[in-house]
Every structure is written in C-alpha cells, then in structure tokens.
Amino acid sequence: MCSNFRKDFKFFNEYPDLIYFDNAATTQKPDIVLERMVKYYESENANPLRGVYDLSVKATDAYENARERTAKFIGAESASEIIFTRNATESLNLIARSYGETFLKEGDEVVLTVMEHHSNLLPWQEAAGKTGAKLVFLTPDMTGAISDEEIEKKITEKTKIVSIAHISNVLGRRNQVEKIIKAAHNVGAVAVIDGAQAVPHTKVNVRELDADFYVFSGHKMLAPMGIGVVYGKKNLLNNMPPFLTGGEMIEYVELSSATYAEVPHKFEAGTVNVGGAVGLHAAMDYIENLGFDYIEETELRLTKMMFEGMKSLPYINIVGSDRFEEHNGIITFTIDDVHPHDSASILNEAKICVRAGHHCAQPLMKFLGLNSTLRASLYFYNTEEEVDRFLDSLTKVRGWLGYGA
C-alpha cells in the first residue's frame, strides 16, 4: 500500500534505492504540491493584495484560500487567526518579540522545558534579557516524561508565558500539552505550543487544545520550504505590535507616523510567499485525503518494527522511552564505540539518510549526558523493506571500523 503512495513522489522515482529517514528535519514533496506551485507561477503570478487587475486578484485569492485552508486544517475559529511566516523558527520569534517583549516585565517567568529545540529557546532568552523576565525549565525524567508534580511546582503565579513542544524532535515524546495549557491558564499565563513535529503526524485542533499560540512549518509536512504558520487567538494578536514593518502591513503612512492594517496582515510585511502558501494548501489536501488514521497506524507499525530490531542489537543504545509507542516515529540512538557522524557517513554509503548531531537541542543533550546522537525519523511513505535494510546496515557499522559485532 505504501508503495502506491510513493508513486506520488518524483523523488522516490528519482532515487528508488535511497532510504530517507530524516523526516523530522524535512519531508519529501508529492507531485501534487510541486505541480500546484508551478501552476501558480505559470498562470497566477502577480503581487497579491496590491492590485485591482484580474491577475493580482487571482494571486490574492490563491493566498487567502491557503489561509482559509490552514485555519480549517488546525481547527482555528477564523482565517484571520492565521499568520504566514517563513518557518516555525520565525513564528516563535514573532511571538517572543511581539508578545513577549511587549507584555513581559521584570520578575515575570517564562516556563519552557529542557527538551526544547533552539528555536523555542533562543527567542525567549532574548525576550527575557530585554525585559528582566526569568526563564524557568520543566525538567523531565530520562525518557522525556514531565511529571504532574513538576508542572505544579514550576507553573506559578509568576508565570506569564509557557512555551513547549507538542512532540520532542529528539525523543519523540508527546508532552502533556492539554494539562500544561490548563495549568498555564489557571495562573493567567499564555500557552505557546511548537507543533512542528506534531502537525504532520497527528490531527491537531487548536480550539480543543485551547492553545493561545500554535506554530508549525510547512516543509515538515510535505509542503515547500519557506512557509510557516502562527496561529494566535484574535484578542491576543490584536493587542500585539507588528513584528516587521514595511509594505502592505499598513493602513496609512505619513512622514512621521503610520497606522497598521488589521490582523493578520499587520504581521505580514512585504511581498508574501504565495507559491509557498499554495504549496502548503496542496500538502494539507494530500494529508487529509490520506487520513491521519493511516499516517498514525503506518508510523506506529514501522516504529515498532525498527525499535524492536534495534533493541535486539546489544551495541545500539536508544535514547528516551523503552516503549516504542512513546517515540512517535522518532528514534534517537548511539552505537557503541562509533561517533554518530561516522555512523551517519557509513550508513550514507548504504544509501540511508539519518541525522547526526545535537539536533538543535544542546541543553537536552547535556541533560542526557550526550554530545551527539543519531536520529532516524519516519513518515507514512517509508516501508517495512526500508526498515529491514536499515537494521541490516546497523549490524555492519562497527565492522567498518574494525570492531567485532
């Protein structure tokens, strides 16, 4: 069944022997996404939002239809709660700069976890440094689980913002986001969720979560690079200053002053990425036609197969939970006596793509007592045959460097 879906991707036709296990970094793009982008640039290309001529209106419609589609995809109440950015990193910077630096003050606390991607750490370091706020960190156990006691202890009356990943990009651990959001709201704090590793793999409804802000990137969910999303509750967005200023985000400009456009355009200065937006629209259509039930079932089956195969190899050390179902398609590991970069290079010779390094999560690596790891991450288009080849290749890595099995 998976092989049928692989026919939807020119990439897999181009590289039939390549095993791509770096989906947590970025996914491959189905033909329908590429074709929709080409169609836009071939027959709809104009500067949107600025012209009254037909072609500009067509471009504007394509862009705003993508916004409507995104709102529906994540269960937002209104398309005006959707802001397009370049990626999840820019989305988190927008929130930290526009909301955080505006409303934080000395003595306030911003709660994060030690598992955060640098994109959800550095912007808050900057905001805290500028406002005098303090960063507080939820500390997990070695599997990535955050206890109820830790949540109760760290989220207090001083907390003004809580910003956490929905799913860890290293451990694959799904955080108790519903519980953490509720704890934040109980003390009057705002909850920010980094959904970059969640939205491609599981159905997300921001209203059911009651998230105040939710961010994700298109390129991790079959869409092109260069398009990201901020969801924000309308009342919060209305009270935030612009992140960038310039063309299109204004209502009226004089030499010494300006008034800004309504949300969401207030946050989208300059010429926007319509090609990326229509690609995201097509990717969401593809994912929903496929169905999250199928995606989750396939990833769980492949994760189980990979996890159990790796556990049978005594020189493989899996980082995080000892339960495959808690990895959500992400398995981070080390190989005894072999540096992760060497391991990745050896696997590359077998045409297997995995990530090696700190995965933009150096504080987590330090917490775990590691400098670097390997990460294999799955998506619905991966196959059991690929997992078998991967496991077989793992048995040969140490031999390449002269170690016995």
Side-chain angles (χ1 to χ4, degrees), residues 194-379:
D194 173 3
Q197 298 296 339
V199 172
H201 306 280
T202 190
K203 184 64 178 173
V204 170
N205 186 299
V206 292
R207 277 187 288 176
E208 290 179 2
L209 289 176
D210 200 21
D212 298 293
F213 296 100
Y214 196 100
V215 310
F216 57 98
S217 291
H219 72 95
K220 296 182 189 294
M221 51 179 295
L222 309 179
M225 295 180 180
I227 191 74
V229 173
V230 172
Y231 157 80
K233 289 181 178 177
K234 189 75 172 289
N235 63 312
L236 297 176
L237 296 175
N238 282 336
N239 290 319
M240 292 161 53
F243 175 52
L244 300 172
T245 56
E248 195 49 49
M249 49 75 63
I250 52 85
E251 182 177 289
Y252 191 77
V253 176
E254 295 184 356
L255 291 177
S256 58
S257 64
T259 56
Y260 300 122
E262 296 293 317
V263 169
H265 300 292
K266 177 173 70 172
F267 295 103
E268 296 178 355
T271 300
V272 295
N273 182 8
V274 186
V278 300
L280 178 63
H281 188 157
M284 291 177 173
D285 286 347
Y286 186 94
I287 288 171
E288 287 207 339
N289 287 336
L290 186 62
F292 279 109
D293 287 346
Y294 177 78
I295 292 172
E296 291 180 354
E297 176 205 335
T298 301
E299 290 180 6
L300 186 64
R301 172 170 47 83
L302 295 175
T303 302
K304 182 177 188 290
M305 180 180 177
M306 180 182 287
F307 189 90
E308 292 179 348
M310 293 172 72
K311 290 287 282 186
S312 71
L313 303 175
Y315 43 81
I316 299 292
N317 311 291
I318 295 176
V319 181
S321 175
D322 60 0
R323 300 175 60 190
F324 72 88
E325 62 268 25
E326 293 180 341
H327 283 261
N328 291 287
I330 295 173
I331 300 181
T332 297
F333 63 102
T334 60
I335 301 176
D336 285 348
D337 304 314
V338 187
H339 192 281
H341 288 97
D342 293 332
S343 299
S345 296
I346 293 168
L347 290 170
N348 181 60
E349 292 299 314
K351 296 186 178 180
I352 299 172
C353 305
V354 297
R355 179 58 60 95
H358 53 65
H359 316 296
C360 296
Q362 286 180 297
L364 175 59
M365 292 290 114
K366 184 176 180 180
F367 172 77
L368 295 170
L370 300 167
N371 292 317
S372 181
T373 59
L374 292 151
R375 182 184 69 189
S377 49
L378 300 161
Y379 207 20

Side-chain angles (χ1 to χ4, degrees), residues 97-171:
R97 294 289 179 87
S98 184
Y99 184 86
E101 292 181 15
T102 300
F103 295 105
L104 288 172
K105 63 183 186 301
E106 189 170 357
D108 289 343
E109 293 182 351
V110 178
V111 175
L112 312 170
T113 79
V114 300
M115 299 182 287
E116 298 311 314
H117 189 284
H118 295 163
S119 297
N120 198 31
L121 172 60
L122 301 185
W124 298 113
Q125 289 180 351
E126 291 283 323
K130 291 178 180 178
T131 62
K134 176 185 176 183
L135 300 185
V136 174
F137 294 92
L138 296 170
T139 303
D141 63 21
M142 296 301 283
T143 74
I146 297 172
S147 68
D148 292 349
E149 292 75 19
E150 184 72 0
I151 295 169
E152 292 170 7
K153 177 182 176 183
K154 299 290 179 65
I155 298 177
T156 71
E157 295 298 327
K158 292 183 179 180
T159 305
K160 302 305 175 188
I161 297 170
V162 178
S163 189
I164 63 166
H166 199 154
I167 293 175
S168 166
N169 73 303
V170 177
L171 303 176

Side-chain angles (χ1 to χ4, degrees), residues 5-24:
F5 291 115
R6 289 167 75 89
K7 292 177 182 177
D8 295 340
F9 295 74
K10 285 188 175 69
F11 176 87
F12 294 116
N13 294 327
E14 183 76 16
Y15 300 103
D17 296 328
L18 190 71
I19 296 176
Y20 186 78
F21 282 170
D22 196 20
N23 295 287

